[in-house]
Amino acid sequence: MNSVLSSQKRGEPAFHDYRPAQARFREDVLSGLTKSQRRIPPKYFYDEKGSRLFDAICQLPEYYPTRTEIQLLKHYGAEMAEYIGEGSVLVEFGSGSSLKIRVLLDALEPAAYLPIDISREHLFHAAKRLAGDYPEVAIHAVCADYSQPLGLPGGFAEKPKAGFFPGSSIGNFEPEEARQFLTRIAALLGPGSGLLIGVDLKKEAALLNAAYNDNQGITAAFNLNLLQRINRELEGNFDLTGFEHHALYNSAEGRVEMHLVSLKDQAVTVNNQTFQFQPGETLHTENSYKYSIEEFQQLASSAGFQPQQVWTDREDLFSVHYLSL
Ligand code: AVI
């Protein structure tokens, strides 16, 4: 793998750029727009603006997962740190703004912290801020697409490792993809390692629907930003007023679905290809699967992990699992 490393000083992160392919965005959008149910993978939400909008979602009163998971990390951080063990290399998949890791870093001294994220600028600034605040921790930021096969930068192979995958991002994979992803993580971390993972729980539809249809319209802006990104980066001409955000819990599938609904008969051009949208036709942009504790433990076991501990809040909104290898 091609990694570009900048030098590291105390209080400064090292930066390993695996250059996640831009070409895939074009391919994935064009092939997704051609399907009978049009779809675009949710990982493309996270350009610079999308990452900022996602941070804003995490602050919304309706979006309970972030604050509930942070409460769990704060409340049970010392116990979690015991499972992880001092001197481990912490590897975070999809680190975003690296906010949650701060709670763990307050409870634990890792040998190093490796945040992995596809959003280069966002990762760079988050790693810089974190390195300033935790100068004693060696930070190696890795710009990569964690949903693809991946290797860690050199020097970490022999150290005990703990993965950190908060936020229920596992729910954005199809269950079979989630199993494959966990299997890849197991191979990457290696025997004797562990994984601390946040998983959103199944619950009544009204709470889920509110979480993905906030009153301020931030989730709608996050969803629509995908079209803006296509316009900007792939010579698209989506009319942003011609599509509307739609999110609904599909209880049969156990997932919240997000779509962009076409409000009229319209032609859209992307990369010199034209796509015709009927009124009411949707572009499916995200699934967010919700699991019971048992369902998730079964999934993790099928990928080679052993469930060790699970922490939940009083209302059973969210769970954090520690799995070992
Ligand atoms: C990142 N991921 C776990 C979020 C979720 O809840 O599925 C993304 C999100 N989509 C809409 N709101 C938040």
Side-chain angles (χ1 to χ4, degrees):
M1 195 150 317
N2 219 359
S3 142
V4 177
L5 170 62
S6 61
S7 64
Q8 188 179 24
K9 292 192 223 118
R10 189 180 151 81
E12 287 272 334
F15 199 76
H16 306 258
D17 193 347
Y18 287 5
R19 303 182 193 283
Q22 255 307 301
R24 281 193 84 94
F25 180 40
R26 194 176 298 270
E27 282 163 27
D28 288 350
V29 167
L30 292 175
S31 77
L33 286 174
T34 336
K35 299 217 165 77
S36 57
Q37 169 60 70
R38 303 181 202 261
R39 60 177 70 245
I40 296 180
K43 66 181 177 186
Y44 294 119
F45 281 135
Y46 303 92
D47 65 351
E48 188 56 23
K49 182 173 173 197
S51 299
R52 267 189 280 118
L53 285 167
F54 180 64
D55 283 350
I57 288 176
C58 292
Q59 310 280 339
L60 289 169
E62 297 93 338
Y63 195 72
Y64 62 85
T66 311
R67 66 171 174 276
T68 312
E69 187 178 41
I70 290 176
Q71 278 161 12
L72 289 171
L73 294 174
K74 284 193 172 149
H75 196 82
Y76 298 108
E79 263 181 57
M80 293 172 183
E82 269 188 42
Y83 277 96
I84 292 170
E86 291 290 325
S88 296
V89 173
L90 276 178
V91 183
E92 180 169 358
F93 301 92
S95 50
S97 298
S98 277
L99 293 179
K100 291 173 188 163
I101 197 68
R102 290 169 179 261
V103 184
L104 279 187
L105 292 180
D106 291 339
L108 174 88
E109 234 182 74
Y113 168 57
L114 276 62
I116 305 176
D117 207 280
I118 194 167
S119 183
R120 183 174 289 107
E121 295 291 298
H122 207 70
L123 171 71
F124 183 74
H125 293 299
K128 241 182 138 43
R129 282 193 301 272
L130 197 74
D133 293 343
Y134 294 85
E136 68 287 358
V137 180
I139 298 176
H140 288 255
V142 180
C143 181
D145 178 357
Y146 70 77
S147 70
Q148 299 298 314
L150 159 97
L152 295 181
F156 297 105
E158 306 312 319
K159 300 242 162 66
K161 287 183 271 310
F164 183 45
F165 194 38
S168 201
S169 294
I170 194 71
N172 296 135
F173 290 110
E174 293 303 303
E176 176 51 25
E177 284 171 5
R179 197 187 59 74
Q180 290 169 13
F181 170 70
L182 290 172
T183 306
R184 272 206 311 278
I185 288 195
L188 185 77
L189 297 173
S193 299
L195 177 65
L196 190 67
I197 179 166
V199 183
D200 197 12
L201 293 171
K202 285 199 159 127
K203 60 185 61 65
E204 55 171 301
L207 267 179
L208 288 165
N209 289 331
Y212 292 82
N213 289 285
D214 66 278
N215 278 333
Q216 294 170 54
I218 311 276
T219 312
F222 173 70
N223 202 1
L224 282 158
N225 178 56
L226 191 54
L227 303 185
Q228 256 176 314
R229 182 175 182 190
I230 294 171
N231 285 352
R232 231 182 2 253
E233 295 181 28
L234 305 179
E235 304 88 48
N237 69 350
F238 275 103
D239 166 12
L240 298 190
T241 64
F243 288 85
E244 195 172 71
H245 166 71
H246 176 75
L248 195 67
Y249 183 56
N250 177 338
S251 59
E253 298 288 346
R255 68 192 191 202
V256 175
E257 295 185 10
M258 288 214 312
H259 295 256
L260 289 163
V261 186
S262 172
L263 297 176
K264 55 187 182 191
D265 191 349
Q266 54 187 323
V268 177
T269 305
V270 178
N271 196 52
N272 288 322
Q273 270 176 256
T274 301
F275 303 91
Q276 196 66 37
F277 281 84
Q278 303 301 313
E281 188 177 350
T282 79
L283 172 56
H284 190 168
T285 51
E286 186 181 67
N287 284 326
S288 192
Y289 282 87
K290 310 301 169 188
Y291 291 93
S292 69
I293 288 175
E294 298 69 31
E295 281 170 341
F296 183 71
Q297 288 183 335
Q298 263 181 28
L299 177 70
S301 302
S302 74
F305 284 98
Q306 284 110 46
Q308 294 293 332
Q309 181 61 285
V310 55
W311 297 272
T312 58
D313 55 293
R314 275 209 210 111
E315 292 166 90
D316 279 337
L317 295 175
F318 201 88
S319 60
V320 177
H321 297 245
Y322 185 78
L323 313 167
S324 67
L325 284 166

